[in-house]
Structure formats: C-alpha cells, structure tokens
Amino acid sequence: MNDHTQMLLLYTTVRHNLIHPAMNNILSSPSSSSSSIFPLQNPNFQISLHHYYFNLKSHSPNILPFTFHRSFQPLHHCNFHFNVRCSYKPPRSSLPVGESPVVSDTEEDDEEDDEEAAEEYEVDAEFIEADSDDEVEAESDENVVVVERSRFEEFKWQRIERIRNDVREYGDGILDVDELSSVYNFRIDKFQRLAIQAFLRGSSVVVSAPTSAGKTLIAEAAAVATVARGKRLFYTTPLKALSNQKFREFCDAFGEDNVGLLTGDSAINRDAPVLIMTTEILRNMLYQSVGIMSSESGLFNVDVIVLDEVHYLSDISRGTVWEEIVIYCPKEVQLICLSATVANPDELSGWINQIHGKTELVTSTKRPVPLNWHFSTKSALLPLLNETGTSMNRKLSTNYLQLNSLGGTSYEEERPRRRNSRKYENDVSPSSKNDKSNIRRSQVPQVIDTLWHLKTRDMLPAVWFIFSRKGCDVAVQYLEDCKLLDECEMSEVDLALKRFRLKYPDAVRESAVKGILRGVAAHHAGCLPLWKSFIEELFQKGLVKVVFATETLAAGINMPARTAVISSLSKRSESGRIQLTTNELLQMAGRAGRRGIDKTGHAVVVQTPYEGAEECCKLLLAGLQPLVSQFTASYGMVLNLLAGAKVTQIPNEGDGMEVSRTGRTLEEARKLVEQSFGNYVGSNVMLAAQDELNKIQDEIRILTSEISDEAIDRKSKSILSKSAYKEMADLQEELRAEKRVRTELRRRMEMERMSSLRPLLQTLDNGHLPFLCLHYHDNAGTKHLVPVVYLGDVDSMHGSKLKNMVVENDSFAIKIISVDGVDLESQLTTRPSYYVALGSDNTWYLFTERCIKTVYKAGFPNTALNNGDALPREIMAAHLEKMEMQWQKLSHTELGAIWCMEGSLETWSWSLNVPVLSSLSEDNEVVQYSQAYYDAVESYKNQRNKVSQLKKKIAKTEGFKEYKKIVDVARFTEEKIQRLKARSNRLMTRLEQIEPSGWKEFTQVSNVIHEIRALDINTHVIFPLGETAAALRGENELWIAMVLRNKSLFNLKPPQLAAVCGSIVSEGIKVRPSKNNSYIYEPSSTVLEVINFLDDQRRSLLQLQEKHDVKIPCCLDSQFSGMVEAWASGLTWREMMMDCAMDEGDLARLLRRTIDVLAQIPKLPDIDPQLQRNAIVASGVMDRPPISELAG
C-alpha cells in the first residue's frame, strides 16, 4: 500500500463516523493496488479520486504527490479536506491528478447533468440535490456525481460557521466563489456563480432570473461573506409576511444571535449582522443620511443591501420606494437587486451603474425545473402550445372546439357541399364574437373537472389562483367532499390542527377545517396571518394538495407546487375587468415546479366565458413588460430632503425663535430627484429608441418606393422584351381601368342596398323589435356576423344621452371617405344614419346601414307583459340611458363605422333571447330591395367576370412568368413593410410610456408644505408640524401629523385614541357584502365627535392640495373605528368576530395598521407626553394574539 493510500485511510479512520454509511463498506474493502481507484467487492461501485486534489499542510519537508485543501481543521499539524466522487458505473476515462475539469455551458452537457441528477435521486433523494440550469458547469465524465459533504457530516449553519472561523484565522482573502458555494451540498448554477463572483469583485449586482430559480442563494452567499468580514447586511422585502419568512430562513442558517428583524412597530435584535426589513423601513432610515454614512446613522458598518423582488419598482402605489433607496443609498454600500425576469434588466443595471456605482448584470432565462403549459376545458386537459412551443395547439382553436361540441363531420368534409350555401356563412362563423362566446361558455369546466385531470395525471400538489377571496372560499367548500389525503395524512393534519388550536385557539378558521382535513385550503387576505402561515406549513409538508389563493401568493412567499392553475386571464378592478400582464401570468406560473423534487412543473390555464386559449397564447407569447418608473413625491420625501433648521422656543427673546443650520437647496434636491429611473430611461434609452424608430421609418419609405406601380413598371421594362413589355403594359392598364369600374359598381350596389334599408328601418321604429344580422371586418380582416335585436334610429331618440353624444362628439361624425378621387357623398341620395341594437353577447352596437347584412321577420313583440307595464322598447331604451356611454370602435368603412359597448346585468336576460344565426333562415328575411339594386348587382357581377377574364388573358401572355416574379417580390416586400410598421408602432408606444422627471410633482408638494407652514422652502426652516410629519411613515404623512398634533386627541382614553388612529388608516378595508345579519361595533360618541371635528381640517387640506394639483389621499372614516375601540378595550377575538361583517384578515390588517401608528407616536418629536403615554398603553393592549406581528 503506497503513501497515497495510507494517508487517505488515516483521514478516513479519523472521520469514519461522519461519513455516509455506504462509505464504511467501501473503505473496509481490502486492496493492494497502488491505483487511485479502489476496487471493491461490488464491481459497479467505485470511488474516483481523479477529479479532486488534496492540500496537506505539514511540517514534513517531503513533497507528496497530492495536497489537502486549506479549510480542513488541524489533525496532528495537518489540515485535511476530503471530497469523494461516487459513480455507479466504471468511468470511461480519467483525468490525471491536478488537471481541472472541463466547464461546459452547452445544452448537451446540461441534459447529461439532468440524467445524473435523476440517477442520484433514485439512490437517495435526500443525500444530494442536483441542479439542472441551462448554464451549469458540466464535468467531462458524465457518470461521476458529486458528493461534496453529506447531511451526515455538517449542518448548513456549521458550514457557515466554519467559513467564519477560517476568515478569522486566514483573512478574507480566502473568500471566493468555491469557498462560498461549499456552504451548499449541491452544485450551484452558473448564474449564481457569476453573481457571487461579481459581488466578490466589489460590484453591485442586478440579477434577473425566473421565479424559483434560486436568487435568494446569491443573497445568502453575500451574507456569509459579509458576516465573515465582520460587517453587516440588510435584506429588504416588499411584504411583512415575506420578511418573516426570510427571518426564519436566515435564523436557521446563521443562528438567532446573528439575524434581526425590523418592522414598523417591532424590532428583534436590530443590531444583528444580518437585518431583515421591509423596503419602507430602509427608505425611512436613508432619509436621515442621504448619500452618507456615520456612526449615528442606521447604516453604520453596513456593507451590503439586498433588494429582493426589485421588479416591484413598477408597482404604481409603492414602486417609488425602491427608486428612492437606490438614489439615497451611500455609494460605498454594495447593492444586490434580485428581480424576476423583465424585459429591460439592462436599463435597470445601467441606471444603478450611473447613479450609484459599478454594477454588473447577471441574467438567466431558463427555469431550473422546466415548465409545461396546459389548457383545461370541460372535457379535456390539453397542451396549450404546439410541439415547437411557438403557437397555440390547433386542437384548442374555436373551430375545432365547435366541431367537437357539435359532434358532426369535419370541416373539410362539409366544405364542398356548403361552399355555395348562404346559410353556411351564417351557421358556421366561429370568428363571430357571439359564436365564440357561446363556444367558450359551453367549454368552461367545473373545479372538479380540472382537479380530476390533475389528480389522474399526478400533477398535485397545486396552487390554484382565483382572483377573489369569495371565489377561493367557495372552491374549498365545493371540494369538501373530495378526499385528496390518505388516512395517514389525514391523521397528521388532524394532529397539526389540534396543536395549532392549543397554541392559537382564536386563529383557527373554523369554516376551513373540513376542507383542510380533505387536503384543500384557501389562502388570501381575508385569512389571519397566523392561519395563512399554518396553511403554508401544511402545504410545504405535502399535507395540503390544493391551495386556492389570490395573486398575492405569487409575490415571493415560499410555497412551491408541482402545478400552478390560473383560473382566469382577467380580474376585476375599480375600473372594471382588466387583463393580466405577461409578467403577472409568468409570476404565478413560476410557483410550479419544485427544485429537486419535480422533473417538470405544470401551468394550467382554465377556459372561462371571457377568455380562451387564443387569448392565453397571445398573452404568453407577447413578451415581458419592461420595468417602468413610478417615482412620485410624497410629503415625507420633500420634508426630509429640504428640511434644515428647526424652530426652537427661546425665552426672553423678542422673536421667540432661533434658527440653526441649513438644509438642502432646491437645486440640490432637484439633482437627487432627477436621478430617478424614469429620467434615466427618458434621457438615454429614449434617444436610442428614437434613432431606431427613424431607421425603421426610413427603411419603410425606401421599400414602399420599391413596390410602387412606377417601380414595378421600370423593372418590367428592364427584364421583358419590347413586344412583351408593351403587351403586358397595355393589358395591365386595361385591367386597372376595369378594376376601377368594378369598384365603382360595388359602391353603387352598396348605396342602392342602403337606400332600400332606410325606409324599412323607419317603419320598424314604432312596431316590433326585429332581429338583424350585422356584419363587419375587424382590423385583422376577419369577418364577423352578429345577431342583434333592433332598438331604433338614434336620430329619433330625442334628448337621450346617446343622441347628444353622437351629435356633440366629433369621433362619431359620419365622414364619407372619398376613394380614388371619387366623391361618394355627392352620389348618395340619403346620408347614412346611426342605429342602435343589443347583441346576443350582451353588447350594445351602434352602426350605420352599411353594417346591416339582413333584417328578419322574427323579433321581440313591442307589447307590455302586464297592463300598466312599460313597453319592451321603452325598457331597453331606459337600460341604455343608464350606461356610461363608453363606446369602442370595431371597424370603419367609407360609409360609416360600427361601435360597441358592453351591456349591463339588466340587459343580460334580453340578450339571452336573441337567437343564434343558424336558427334564422333565409325565408325569414323581410328586406325588399328595389329594382335599381338588382340592376346594380347584375352590373357588378358582369364587371367582376370581365376582370376575371382579363386576368386569365394576362396569364397567357409571353412575359407573364417574369412579370409574376416581380409581383411576387413586391408582395414579399409588402409583408416586410407590415412587419416594420408593427415594430415601429411598438417603439412609438414605448416612447409614449416614458414619463418626464418627477420634479413637477416635487414642487407641487413643496408648495403645499410651504403654505400650510410645515416648512419654509425659501429658508429651509422646518416647523413643528413638519418635524412630526418628516418622522412619520404613512400614505399621507402631513395629514397624519395634523391629526396627531390636534389638541382634541389629548384627553382621549387609550381605546378612544386607538379608534381615532384607526379612522385614518382604514383605506381599502371593506365590509363583507354577502354576510347576512352581521354587524360591526359602533364607535363611542366621544370618538365620533373627534372624527367629525377632524373632518373640517381634512376638507381644508384637500382644498389646499387641489389648489396645487396634489393628489394624495387623506383618509378619515369612522365606519371601522368601533371595531378598533372594542379590541383596544380588551374584547376577545371570538367576541369581535361573532357575526362580524368583516373578514378576519381585513380586521387584523386594520388593527395592525392602527398599532403601527400608535407605535410611532412615542418616537415623534413635539408630541404631547400624555398622548404618547396613551399610545403606548393602547398599542400594548392591542398587540396580542391572534394578530401579534411575530406570533408563531
């Protein structure tokens, strides 16, 4: 046995109890071989020492053929580091000792890594976690798998502590990406390595990678390095729940003594090396030390700030916080910005590089767990995309679904028989909005339908996104009898529930218990935070198979599932239904696929009455939205940036005040404000986009000139012989002339048809309400046929909102378009008029005679159902009058346009009675055309035949083949022009989205502050009101400061003070509308008197804001003050929620907001001491389970 083998066995003897049991058998196997490969009793199991080197620090002068790594602990004057590579097959080849493994970024190597990972999990799923990113470093020997250190050797916190000890002993020079990656018992991805390397170079880092790709690992590695150096790291998140989760994770890794948590009203270990907080907390800390660090500031000794979920920068209400942090952050602090995939991460990193310091961008586009997209209908769960993933699966097209639902013969088989049938055009028009709506409604699956597919295909557990709390709760109730757990799992859930009930009896959501015992649960803002944490814990343990959640769950909470189900592509908002963005869709789908558990994740989109697979594919393939600046000025921002001297009372002085030190000038503040992300995009990217737009428009002009008639004529002349050219030119000129005649005859035919319709429609205005068929072509050229019930001529609706709109709004003016120089208006016997009708899709249509295809005898009788009732025409007209008149243009022709507007609930029943076109026969039509119309039709047909004959004659000419090539090139060029125009339109839209600087808003807010005497913007003297407002956190700091400084609060008891504070933070809190016989506590008369008194001040502030065009809400609502007062008076949670009209989560959120305000009062300057004492008492009473911020 050589020296090499003896040294290995010596080290193994020392640590044999810490190594995986399988190793004992390996090392005990006798061997006399001097090779570095030990033969074993099992020939298929070998240890390879080829790929790793050893470092041996020894006093012995002998030079060994190998060395041991420096990080091993001393053993008789030696430091050992032992790494073993295991394989289950003999290696094909081996590298000499000391040679580095080959690094590969190719997909082929990546697939080999996936296979290796699969083999590892088959052996021991917990022993090694593998990574399958598209950019991982791949070894040349595909049969070898890495065992760095097993979980039997060290815990994660022990590995971190080992690195800290090594840095203390050898200095921070030993910190490199390999040292930091040794914390993990799996191989980290390449994008993680690149980000860590950039951080170690001293750069700030922007990381853009898909959801669940492992971005937190980068922050964790940075924390290891930072703590090892004796410095501090701040980790910020957008949500308190996410902060609590990260706090627990970092405590597990670094130990509770090294991690702190800072929230609005609570602090745990705030001086810890790693401090977790929400972004608003950090922003307010930075206000005190913009761009500087001192021993007095909260950022002293802070080396790194991690901004998690930095894509929140685009959030309308909160995005400004992320921008302010980057702007105010001292330049010596490294920023690590973690973002989901967005369209413009380069712009974000470029901005940070410009205003903060050297910044490197690291991106990854491939998910560690591949994602498959599916679409769920009533009868099937099908792949959403085709095999190449570039377009929709054709089996999900409306035509295919319609034919399947009819159960008839195929479209191709029916086509020859129906080609000349007019009824076919009406009967099968899947592109019609009405038919699409009917098909979609027939394909909407029940929850149980989709769940059955998920269960049978082993696609559980699943997070099921439903965009309403009620929808989540109803889905759970619907599945209460659906058993998804086995008996063992049910017992585990029952035990966990009992433990939770013992610990937090008031936090149990009794209505959800039955569902949890079956494996289904709801997770939304209406639940208590403690209950949501309990659901998350059960889900992570696999004891809840389906969680119905609102989209807030997609915002970073660690609840990965095998499947993410998106119930709808649109959601309700204050302005109506709005469609999801691509970013939102991918953020929710990113919950699918558990790394190290699932080979693939699944995203399932469900058919709804509003959207189908076409809309889903369009959204999915549309591309990511860019980050957009939401930088806005607030009272707190302006006060903290401009405030200089304080006003202090000086006795025995005539002016009674003393001024000291100066604040920032307006120019200095402007320089800070103009560093916003929006300004960066506007100044740099806008120029580049404008240059690109100019190039595209120049190319369009050049290409357009190449396909003009003159250009085609020149090319023909150069290619064809003189005789062939002359023949072709003459025939082409003749063809153009005949086409002009054909066009003129078609217009004449159309005008004659309109003339025939006018008297018929006038006779219908006082009779029954007939059914009509409307037809139009959309912008894509698709023809639509819509059945409607006719209401009347707009001109006859005297005094109605619709007529006034049509008359007064120029958008609805009927402008007859002249075509080819022909004045059509002079040829019309009567001008087109607007008519209105209700479609079978519950949509109002406004149209001219040009859009009427035919009129039917059938319709609604215009007779009252009962004596004294209004007539149907009057009822429908009244429903129309109630509408907001928000019309959208569907199509425009030379003879008028067609507009549409979504109907109301009142018109829904009327629309259901409008028949589909296939049930209306040609015999039912009542249109009687004039002889002039039939003459025009005959002339048009003759001319069309003449044009067709002339085209055939041209095709037989001598030079036609060459000429056709020229025309084909022109057609391809035309298609290219259309693509360039689409690109040009996208660029113009992008340029329109770029907003100018927020300096205008800053000055407007400054004017309010100046006029209300909070701050003198000329001298920068801050008054007591301004001091209080500057120290506050809230949506409208000035208004909250005005309330807290009001003398009417000084004599209130603690519960009454809490009630008043609750009235100024209750925005967005709502009563549950569906709850019967429910109530909320009323506030005391004292509280109501104070709130009524404060309302006068509120109106004054709103008037001042309106004067300076400032739109910052001032909340004051007594509706929920009684609930706050009751809780602050000591009522139990059970008493509060008994028949309560509020959801538990809403009440908890209101109480937490109130506690947040109360907790700030003792820290505010120039506040009455008695008020501060009452605030301490009130917050102490209120901060109790089940709403305690950090309970559990």
Side-chain angles (χ1 to χ4, degrees):
M1 185 179 295
N2 60 18
D3 291 342
H4 184 155
T5 307
Q6 290 176 358
M7 183 61 70
L8 176 60
L9 291 179
L10 170 65
Y11 180 71
T12 305
T13 303
V14 175
R15 298 190 63 182
H16 74 280
N17 288 325
L18 298 178
I19 301 177
H20 193 279
M23 303 296 294
N24 293 326
N25 295 330
I26 301 170
L27 297 172
S28 62
S29 176
S31 173
S32 58
S33 171
S34 61
S35 170
S36 61
I37 301 293
F38 291 88
L40 304 174
Q41 293 177 358
N42 183 351
N44 292 324
F45 189 92
Q46 298 181 345
I47 298 179
S48 171
L49 301 176
H50 289 128
H51 301 278
Y52 275 88
Y53 63 89
F54 298 77
N55 278 332
L56 173 64
K57 292 184 179 179
S58 173
H59 297 298
S60 171
N62 297 330
I63 299 176
L64 299 178
F66 57 91
T67 58
F68 283 88
H69 192 272
R70 61 175 176 261
S71 62
F72 277 144
Q73 299 301 313
L75 178 65
H76 300 296
H77 306 292
C78 299
N79 284 348
F80 294 91
H81 180 69
F82 182 63
N83 285 314
V84 181
R85 287 183 169 268
C86 301
S87 77
Y88 293 88
K89 296 179 182 179
R92 298 176 185 173
S93 62
S94 60
L95 296 172
V97 176
E99 185 172 335
S100 300
V102 177
V103 177
S104 173
D105 295 337
T106 63
E107 292 187 6
E108 288 80 0
D109 288 335
D110 199 37
E111 290 173 2
E112 292 172 1
D113 290 342
D114 292 340
E115 292 173 3
E116 291 178 15
E119 291 179 4
E120 292 178 49
Y121 284 110
E122 288 174 6
V123 177
D124 187 346
E126 296 181 353
F127 188 59
I128 306 167
E129 183 177 354
D131 195 309
S132 60
D133 191 82
D134 62 331
E135 297 175 339
V136 296
E137 295 184 352
E139 298 288 339
S140 60
D141 189 345
E142 66 185 72
N143 296 301
V144 179
V145 291
V146 180
V147 184
E148 287 283 356
R149 290 182 179 85
S150 77
R151 59 186 176 88
F152 298 96
E153 274 194 65
E154 290 179 316
F155 293 106
K156 188 177 183 179
W157 67 267
Q158 291 175 308
R159 295 193 287 270
I160 293 174
E161 188 61 28
R162 175 180 55 77
I163 291 177
R164 293 180 64 184
N165 292 334
D166 287 351
V167 171
R168 279 195 290 268
E169 183 174 353
Y170 303 111
D172 62 4
I174 70 168
L175 290 174
D176 57 21
V177 67
D178 293 321
E179 190 73 20
L180 294 176
S181 63
S182 70
V183 170
Y184 307 97
N185 58 358
F186 55 86
R187 184 173 49 206
I188 66 174
D189 296 341
K190 186 174 182 181
F191 88 91
Q192 295 167 331
R193 294 181 64 87
L194 292 174
I196 294 171
Q197 288 170 342
F199 163 75
L200 292 172
R201 286 193 291 269
S203 302
S204 292
V205 188
V206 172
V207 181
S208 177
T211 303
S212 301
K215 296 185 287 291
T216 304
L217 181 145
I218 299 163
E220 199 174 64
V224 173
T226 304
V227 173
R229 291 166 176 163
K231 298 293 185 177
R232 302 180 71 202
L233 175 142
F234 284 179
Y235 191 111
T236 71
T237 75
L239 305 172
K240 285 185 179 180
L242 192 53
S243 294
N244 291 338
Q245 177 185 303
K246 295 300 179 185
F247 174 67
R248 292 190 293 267
E249 291 176 1
F250 274 80
C251 280
D252 291 341
F254 291 86
E256 294 182 358
D257 292 340
N258 293 315
V259 183
L261 179 66
L262 198 58
T263 61
D265 51 358
S266 302
I268 295 178
N269 199 13
R270 66 183 305 152
D271 295 323
V274 178
L275 189 59
I276 316 292
M277 66 186 73
T278 53
T279 46
E280 281 80 1
I281 297 290
L282 177 59
R283 188 268 308 270
N284 293 338
M285 291 172 62
L286 289 169
Y287 275 150
Q288 310 305 320
S289 53
V290 176
I292 60 171
M293 281 201 302
S294 67
S295 58
E296 298 178 358
S297 75
L299 282 103
F300 181 66
N301 210 31
V302 174
D303 261 15
V304 183
I305 291 177
V306 178
L307 298 178
D308 200 359
E309 309 288 341
V310 77
H311 52 268
Y312 264 74
L313 184 142
S314 284
D315 186 80
I316 293 175
S317 59
R318 299 176 61 202
T320 184
V321 179
W322 278 260
E323 289 192 60
E324 289 183 66
I325 288 174
V326 175
I327 293 170
Y328 306 150
C329 183
K331 294 186 182 298
E332 54 266 37
V333 174
Q334 282 181 267
L335 293 175
I336 297 178
C337 303
L338 307 178
S339 170
T341 47
V342 292
N344 57 339
D346 53 333
E347 292 180 1
L348 178 62
S349 64
W351 170 62
I352 298 175
N353 186 75
Q354 178 174 297
I355 70 167
H356 182 74
K358 184 180 178 182
T359 304
E360 298 185 43
L361 173 64
V362 177
T363 62
S364 177
T365 56
K366 185 176 179 181
R367 289 169 45 88
V369 179
L371 186 65
N372 291 335
W373 286 87
H374 309 268
F375 194 79
S376 176
T377 65
K378 189 172 184 177
S379 57
L381 182 66
L382 299 171
L384 175 65
L385 303 173
N386 61 8
E387 293 180 356
T388 60
T390 56
S391 61
M392 185 184 72
N393 178 2
R394 66 181 184 84
K395 291 185 179 181
L396 291 171
S397 66
T398 311
N399 300 43
Y400 196 95
L401 292 174
Q402 183 187 33
L403 289 169
N404 278 357
S405 63
L406 294 174
T409 55
S410 71
Y411 176 82
E412 293 298 331
E413 291 173 354
E414 286 289 324
R415 187 173 179 180
R417 184 174 61 84
R418 291 181 167 181
R419 181 171 295 161
N420 298 320
S421 170
R422 183 176 180 185
K423 184 178 178 181
Y424 166 69
E425 186 178 30
N426 291 340
D427 189 38
V428 181
S429 180
S431 58
S432 165
K433 185 177 179 181
N434 174 68
D435 288 346
K436 278 187 176 181
S437 180
N438 290 336
I439 294 169
R440 284 173 179 166
R441 278 196 288 264
S442 68
Q443 292 294 325
V444 174
Q446 297 292 331
V447 173
I448 192 67
D449 298 330
T450 304
L451 179 60
W452 183 85
H453 288 295
L454 299 183
K455 185 171 174 61
T456 54
R457 299 188 186 198
D458 193 25
M459 292 169 65
L460 297 178
V463 174
W464 199 309
F465 291 102
I466 299 177
F467 304 118
S468 75
R469 302 179 194 177
K470 185 178 179 181
C472 294
D473 293 335
V474 169
V476 171
Q477 294 173 6
Y478 182 73
L479 296 177
E480 279 182 348
D481 296 328
C482 182
K483 186 177 177 181
L484 298 177
L485 303 178
D486 58 32
E487 295 299 327
C488 181
E489 291 171 329
M490 287 179 66
S491 299
E492 279 193 73
V493 173
D494 187 49
L495 180 60
L497 190 59
K498 288 177 180 177
R499 288 174 177 169
F500 183 82
R501 192 186 295 276
L502 285 173
K503 193 172 183 181
Y504 308 111
D506 291 334
V508 177
R509 200 164 191 249
E510 297 295 346
S511 61
V513 169
K514 186 176 179 181
I516 286 181
L517 292 173
R518 293 291 188 270
V520 294
H523 186 292
H524 53 70
C527 305
L528 280 172
L530 279 173
W531 182 254
K532 289 194 289 186
S533 297
F534 178 59
I535 297 300
E536 292 165 16
E537 183 181 347
L538 291 179
F539 189 81
Q540 289 165 9
K541 291 180 178 178
L543 298 177
V544 170
K545 303 301 182 184
V546 180
V547 167
F548 293 96
T550 51
E551 72 263 38
T552 52
L553 186 64
I557 303 299
N558 185 24
M559 278 185 66
R562 180 167 296 168
T563 301
V565 182
I566 295 95
S567 63
S568 175
L569 296 177
S570 60
K571 56 185 177 180
R572 290 194 177 277
S573 67
E574 295 178 356
S575 57
R577 293 194 71 87
I578 58 173
Q579 191 179 53
L580 298 177
T581 65
T582 304
N583 292 24
E584 289 171 331
L585 179 64
L586 294 177
Q587 182 83 359
M588 287 184 284
R591 294 293 101 195
R594 297 163 296 177
R595 189 168 189 169
I597 301 175
D598 301 321
K599 291 183 178 180
T600 58
H602 304 278
V604 178
V605 181
V606 180
Q607 172 76 60
T608 73
Y610 309 103
E611 310 100 6
E614 295 94 338
E615 288 78 10
C616 182
C617 287
K618 183 178 180 181
L619 184 63
L620 184 60
L621 301 175
L624 296 164
Q625 283 77 40
L627 290 174
V628 179
S629 174
Q630 302 294 344
F631 189 83
T632 54
S634 66
Y635 290 116
M637 176 199 294
V638 175
L639 286 166
N640 280 286
L641 291 183
L642 295 182
K646 296 181 180 180
V647 175
T648 56
Q649 298 298 325
I650 304 297
N652 303 322
E653 295 254 350
D655 56 4
M657 60 182 67
E658 176 188 5
V659 176
S660 63
R661 76 182 181 85
T662 59
R664 293 178 186 83
T665 65
L666 283 173
E667 187 59 33
E668 290 171 335
R670 180 168 189 163
K671 287 180 179 178
L672 281 173
V673 171
E674 289 185 343
Q675 289 181 349
S676 71
F677 180 57
N679 257 354
Y680 170 81
V681 173
S683 59
N684 295 339
V685 181
M686 187 174 183
L687 293 175
Q690 188 63 55
D691 288 343
E692 185 179 359
L693 180 62
N694 293 337
K695 290 178 182 177
I696 291 173
Q697 291 176 341
D698 289 342
E699 187 175 0
I700 289 175
R701 282 192 292 271
I702 293 171
L703 293 176
T704 302
S705 65
E706 291 178 358
I707 61 172
S708 64
D709 290 343
E710 294 79 6
I712 292 175
D713 187 67
R714 285 196 302 271
K715 291 178 182 177
S716 302
K717 194 172 185 179
S718 63
I719 293 176
L720 302 178
S721 64
K722 288 185 178 181
S723 58
Y725 168 74
K726 185 177 186 308
E727 182 184 17
M728 181 63 67
D730 292 342
L731 290 174
Q732 286 293 336
E733 181 60 35
E734 184 181 355
L735 179 62
R736 284 192 285 269
E738 296 297 342
K739 282 184 176 181
R740 286 194 292 269
V741 174
R742 183 187 63 181
T743 301
E744 181 60 29
L745 289 174
R746 184 184 60 77
R747 292 191 193 118
R748 187 179 132 205
M749 177 182 68
E750 193 60 47
M751 288 186 285
E752 291 293 345
R753 193 180 70 83
M754 291 171 58
S755 299
S756 300
L757 285 171
R758 171 62 69 86
L760 174 62
L761 295 173
Q762 288 176 343
T763 60
L764 296 173
D765 275 350
N766 297 320
H768 78 298
L769 285 69
F771 300 134
L772 277 62
C773 175
L774 305 182
H775 66 146
Y776 68 93
H777 289 82
D778 61 20
N779 294 332
T782 304
K783 184 176 182 179
H784 295 263
L785 301 176
V786 185
V788 298
V789 57
Y790 175 74
L791 180 59
D793 186 347
V794 174
D795 290 337
S796 65
M797 298 179 179
H798 303 293
S800 67
K801 285 198 299 186
L802 179 58
K803 182 174 181 180
N804 293 337
M805 180 198 69
V806 169
V807 172
E808 297 171 3
N809 193 330
D810 291 340
S811 300
F812 293 89
I814 300 177
K815 300 173 183 177
I816 308 302
I817 302 173
S818 297
V819 182
D820 296 335
V822 179
D823 185 6
L824 297 182
E825 193 164 6
S826 62
Q827 299 181 11
L828 292 174
T829 55
T830 56
R831 283 185 58 83
S833 297
Y834 273 122
Y835 304 87
V836 65
L838 178 68
S840 62
D841 54 356
N842 196 29
T843 299
W844 288 102
Y845 291 92
L846 183 66
F847 53 93
T848 64
E849 297 94 335
R850 170 68 179 81
C851 301
I852 301 175
K853 181 175 177 60
T854 190
V855 181
Y856 296 98
K857 297 175 185 176
F860 294 164
N862 193 32
T863 56
L865 292 178
N866 300 303
N867 291 332
D869 290 351
L871 297 175
R873 190 184 300 276
E874 297 171 353
I875 295 173
M876 290 181 64
H879 291 327
L880 177 61
E881 189 69 13
K882 294 178 184 177
M883 302 295 293
E884 294 293 329
M885 297 297 146
Q886 297 177 347
W887 294 89
Q888 295 179 339
K889 185 183 289 187
L890 290 174
S891 178
H892 192 86
T893 68
E894 68 271 16
L895 296 173
I898 180 170
W899 304 70
C900 74
M901 175 177 65
E902 189 174 348
S904 62
L905 290 175
E906 289 84 357
T907 59
W908 184 257
S909 59
W910 293 85
S911 68
L912 292 176
N913 289 306
V914 178
V916 296
L917 293 174
S918 57
S919 64
L920 297 170
S921 65
E922 296 180 20
D923 298 335
N924 200 251
E925 297 179 8
V926 295
V927 177
Q928 297 295 327
Y929 296 115
S930 63
Q931 185 59 43
Y933 169 74
Y934 290 113
D935 292 342
V937 170
E938 189 64 28
S939 300
Y940 173 72
K941 288 180 178 180
N942 292 335
Q943 185 62 26
R944 189 174 59 186
N945 292 334
K946 190 173 182 181
V947 169
S948 178
Q949 293 297 325
L950 191 55
K951 286 181 178 179
K952 293 178 181 179
K953 183 177 179 181
I954 292 174
K956 295 177 181 179
T957 59
E958 175 188 347
F960 176 72
K961 288 185 179 181
E962 296 298 327
Y963 179 79
K964 189 175 184 303
K965 292 178 182 178
I966 298 173
V967 174
D968 288 342
V969 171
R971 186 174 68 254
F972 294 144
T973 304
E974 177 63 30
E975 293 174 358
K976 183 177 180 180
I977 290 173
Q978 294 305 319
R979 291 194 298 271
L980 288 172
K981 285 182 177 179
R983 188 176 169 193
S984 174
N985 291 335
R986 288 196 298 269
L987 271 176
M988 286 190 287
T989 302
R990 179 80 176 92
L991 289 171
E992 290 170 0
Q993 292 174 345
I994 298 175
E995 295 290 338
S997 163
W999 180 246
K1000 179 181 177 182
E1001 292 80 4
F1002 189 93
T1003 55
Q1004 290 167 341
V1005 172
S1006 302
N1007 292 333
V1008 174
I1009 290 174
H1010 179 78
E1011 191 166 335
I1012 208 169
R1013 297 288 290 173
L1015 173 76
D1016 188 324
I1017 61 175
N1018 298 315
T1019 63
H1020 305 287
V1021 174
I1022 186 169
F1023 296 96
L1025 174 61
E1027 284 187 66
T1028 304
L1032 273 164
R1033 299 185 311 275
E1035 190 167 14
N1036 189 325
E1037 302 93 339
L1038 182 61
W1039 165 236
I1040 298 175
M1042 291 172 63
V1043 171
L1044 297 181
R1045 295 180 58 82
N1046 196 292
K1047 293 183 179 180
S1048 62
L1049 273 64
F1050 295 173
N1051 297 323
L1052 295 178
K1053 297 176 182 178
Q1056 295 169 339
L1057 174 62
V1060 174
C1061 290
S1063 70
I1064 61 177
V1065 293
S1066 60
E1067 187 167 359
I1069 305 295
K1070 298 178 181 179
V1071 174
R1072 187 168 46 205
S1074 60
K1075 188 77 172 177
N1076 297 323
N1077 302 320
S1078 58
Y1079 69 94
I1080 55 177
Y1081 285 99
E1082 293 292 332
S1084 63
S1085 58
T1086 303
V1087 171
L1088 285 175
E1089 288 174 6
V1090 172
I1091 291 176
N1092 291 334
F1093 177 77
L1094 291 172
D1095 196 43
D1096 293 334
Q1097 286 193 2
R1098 175 176 170 272
R1099 282 196 292 268
S1100 299
L1101 178 58
L1102 286 173
Q1103 289 173 359
L1104 184 59
Q1105 288 189 168
E1106 187 177 358
K1107 174 184 175 182
H1108 295 288
D1109 199 24
V1110 173
K1111 297 178 178 63
I1112 302 178
C1114 303
C1115 180
L1116 184 67
D1117 188 355
S1118 63
Q1119 183 180 12
F1120 304 106
S1121 297
M1123 298 295 290
V1124 178
E1125 189 174 7
W1127 182 251
S1129 299
L1131 262 67
T1132 66
W1133 187 258
R1134 197 175 298 275
E1135 290 171 328
M1136 294 280 292
M1137 292 308 301
M1138 189 177 297
D1139 294 326
C1140 182
M1142 299 175 67
D1143 280 331
E1144 291 177 313
D1146 281 333
L1147 179 56
R1149 191 157 49 256
L1150 172 63
L1151 297 177
R1152 291 297 338 158
R1153 289 181 188 175
T1154 305
I1155 293 171
D1156 184 47
V1157 174
L1158 291 170
Q1160 293 183 64
I1161 294 175
K1163 307 169 189 176
L1164 298 177
D1166 203 45
I1167 291 293
D1168 181 73
Q1170 182 60 44
L1171 186 71
Q1172 291 180 324
R1173 287 191 290 271
N1174 288 342
I1176 293 173
V1177 173
S1179 62
V1181 172
M1182 293 181 67
D1183 194 10
R1184 64 185 193 271
I1187 67 158
S1188 299
E1189 180 74 23
L1190 302 174

